[in-house]
Amino acid sequence: MVPERATAGSVSPLDLTDPAAMVENDPYVYWESMRGRAPVAWHESPIGPGFWSVARHADVLAAYKDAARLSSARGTVLDVLLRGGDSAGGRMLAVMDRPRHRDLRRVLLRAFSPRLIRRLEKQVMARADALVADVVGAGSFDFAAAVADVLPINTICDLLELPQSDRPDLLAWNKRTLSFLDDRADPVDALEARNEIIDYFVDVARERQRRPGDDVISLLAGALVEGERLSDDEIALNCYSLILGGEESTRMSLIGALDALGRHDDQWHRLTAGSAGIDTAVEEVLRWITPAMHFARTATCDLRIGGQHIRAGDIVSLWNISANNDPEVFHQPRTFDVGRHPNPHVALGHGPHFCLGAFLGRLELTAVLTSLLRRARTIEVLARPRRVYSTFLYGYTGLQLALG
């Protein structure tokens, strides 16, 4: 007998676990089709158990809110879940459920105090302006290397008070954890990069325990979560989560922002003319790019999503890239509109696991756009950028520009 869930919805003609399939096909055409004919669909997988995909904004939003029945503790990235689950489950904020998630999140939120945010804001604005000043009028350059590779990694490393000399290694490791340049990459490389980052932060955690300071890592080292201190591994894992989330998605968003503005002169002119503001432009960039294409959950009990019966233990993938292009919510979603309002995108997640560093990502986008508006008149994209090779991240590996 064919299992009930194998016939639910429609089986995808696109392998959502294959980076090549994700890069070589138009994701917006694919998800438009799925929203219409199979908004909650069961997919077989060549690398593990099957899984559900959720495509419509309303269903994705409801699932994010339903943390009690849709758990993050086994992992939140589809590839990791299909291979057996995240070994950091229950120890790292991103892969943790309540009540421990709530207690640890409260600790980390203390790191984003008004005093620290004011200090970071000045640093980010100054660094972004210096980076933009160096490239305006300089002819052809790679925006990724000159700006996007520099600003996010330094912002999160400033927050963690990490030495300048360590930052190039951290950036290089980060780039290997969730994406590749092409299909020739060895998947083991991602695991090795992740281990390098965690090993690095174990050493830093031990040092901050011996010599605590006024920084996030020292805060984690001295905090009590459910009445107990975090282990060295737990501190390292949460630092890994912070640096990965604080750097990778913002780098993708910055590159995508310049690509979009360069290819949509009318929207750049709206910003320069003041008929649209930076705040709405930042939100549209996040929606337009959606750097984290999905987040995944595991059902803790039988439930229904979009009319489909989900069984306890099933993996459920929530496709932000589809939800953020749902015409039921966004008028002409494939139109880049820097004045779009309202803009209830889920690029940063939603509910209890809403991105902890959302403020920093928005701040960095704001800083770069502010500097561009002051210093540049034109944005010219000189070559079509190449997509990163990933089933999780959406973005580009580089971007050749000229800023006049």
Side-chain angles (χ1 to χ4, degrees):
M1 179 179 292
V2 178
E4 175 189 346
R5 57 188 174 183
T7 60
S10 292
V11 177
S12 168
L14 184 66
D15 183 358
L16 299 177
T17 69
D18 179 5
M22 302 293 280
V23 170
E24 293 167 4
N25 292 275
D26 187 330
Y28 307 109
V29 171
Y30 171 76
W31 287 112
E32 180 182 11
S33 172
M34 294 303 286
R35 285 191 302 270
R37 64 187 177 89
V40 181
W42 177 257
H43 301 257
E44 298 296 338
S45 168
I47 62 172
F51 61 94
W52 294 95
S53 70
V54 182
R56 287 179 181 164
H57 186 279
D59 293 330
V60 168
L61 201 66
Y64 275 131
K65 294 176 182 178
D66 196 356
R69 297 190 298 171
L70 292 167
S71 169
S72 299
R74 289 190 60 244
T76 59
V77 176
L78 188 57
D79 182 62
V80 174
L81 275 169
L82 291 173
R83 297 180 189 277
D86 197 320
S87 60
R91 298 185 293 156
M92 185 169 71
L93 185 70
V95 287
M96 185 181 292
D97 293 332
R98 292 180 177 180
R100 189 168 180 80
H101 174 268
R102 180 180 56 233
D103 289 356
L104 180 56
R105 188 177 177 91
R106 285 173 178 168
V107 169
L108 285 167
L109 283 171
R110 283 159 46 196
F112 296 87
S113 66
R115 176 182 61 82
L116 181 58
I117 291 303
R118 283 193 297 270
R119 188 184 78 193
L120 271 178
E121 187 169 6
K122 292 179 181 178
Q123 292 174 341
V124 170
M125 296 299 284
R127 181 177 284 126
D129 193 48
L131 292 169
V132 171
D134 283 345
V135 294
V136 172
S140 175
F141 73 100
D142 181 2
F143 178 81
V147 179
D149 281 0
V150 181
L151 184 62
I153 192 66
N154 279 289
T155 299
I156 193 64
C157 286
D158 285 347
L159 183 69
L160 300 174
E161 294 192 6
L162 300 175
Q164 288 284 344
S165 58
D166 295 346
R167 299 180 184 191
D169 283 341
L170 287 164
L171 175 63
W173 293 329
N174 254 19
K175 285 185 173 184
R176 290 158 46 199
T177 55
L178 292 173
S179 64
F180 306 106
L181 293 177
D182 54 45
D183 60 359
R184 293 170 293 178
D186 185 349
V188 174
D189 195 45
L191 180 61
E192 290 176 348
R194 182 181 191 235
N195 289 339
E196 291 277 14
I197 297 174
I198 293 169
D199 288 345
Y200 171 86
F201 278 117
V202 167
D203 291 339
V204 175
R206 289 170 180 167
E207 176 62 25
R208 300 290 166 89
Q209 287 169 335
R210 290 191 295 268
R211 298 182 181 85
D214 185 21
D215 62 275
V216 177
I217 302 175
S218 298
L219 179 68
L220 282 169
L224 294 178
V225 178
E226 294 188 316
E228 296 182 353
R229 300 276 188 194
L230 297 174
S231 68
D232 292 345
D233 283 347
E234 287 174 315
I235 297 169
L237 285 166
N238 282 285
C239 290
Y240 162 81
S241 181
L242 284 171
I243 201 164
L244 192 66
E247 190 276 328
E248 193 92 44
S249 62
T250 304
R251 176 160 47 87
M252 295 294 102
S253 297
L254 285 168
I255 298 169
L258 270 291
D259 175 65
L261 289 169
R263 290 190 296 106
H264 298 86
D265 287 344
D266 59 326
Q267 299 305 303
W268 172 242
H269 292 154
R270 289 180 70 189
L271 288 175
T272 59
S275 62
I278 289 177
D279 287 351
T280 55
V282 165
E283 298 309 312
E284 180 67 346
V285 164
L286 291 170
R287 184 197 71 86
W288 184 255
I289 303 303
T290 310
M293 289 190 286
H294 77 267
F295 287 113
R297 301 289 189 262
T298 302
T300 61
C301 60
D302 287 10
L303 71 154
R304 297 190 75 80
I305 300 176
Q308 297 290 356
H309 177 68
I310 313 297
R311 296 179 184 175
D314 281 356
I315 295 169
V316 180
S317 55
L318 311 175
W319 287 89
N320 303 325
I321 192 171
S322 179
N324 283 347
N325 287 278
D326 189 338
E328 294 295 319
V329 178
F330 303 97
H331 177 64
Q332 296 181 344
R334 293 318 300 155
T335 297
F336 182 62
D337 178 4
V338 294
R340 187 182 296 275
H341 183 78
N343 195 344
H345 65 78
V346 291
L348 302 170
H350 192 79
H353 282 269
F354 180 73
C355 178
L356 190 69
F359 174 83
L360 289 183
R362 286 172 166 138
L363 172 60
E364 291 166 81
L365 281 166
T366 297
V368 170
L369 292 181
T370 298
S371 184
L372 283 168
L373 285 172
R374 183 165 64 250
R375 296 183 178 276
R377 291 173 292 116
T378 60
I379 301 173
E380 183 182 1
V381 176
L382 301 176
R384 183 177 180 178
R386 185 172 57 156
R387 285 267 309 277
V388 295
Y389 192 77
S390 175
T391 59
F392 177 73
L393 285 174
Y394 190 97
Y396 305 109
T397 60
L399 181 65
Q400 289 298 130
L401 290 180
L403 298 176

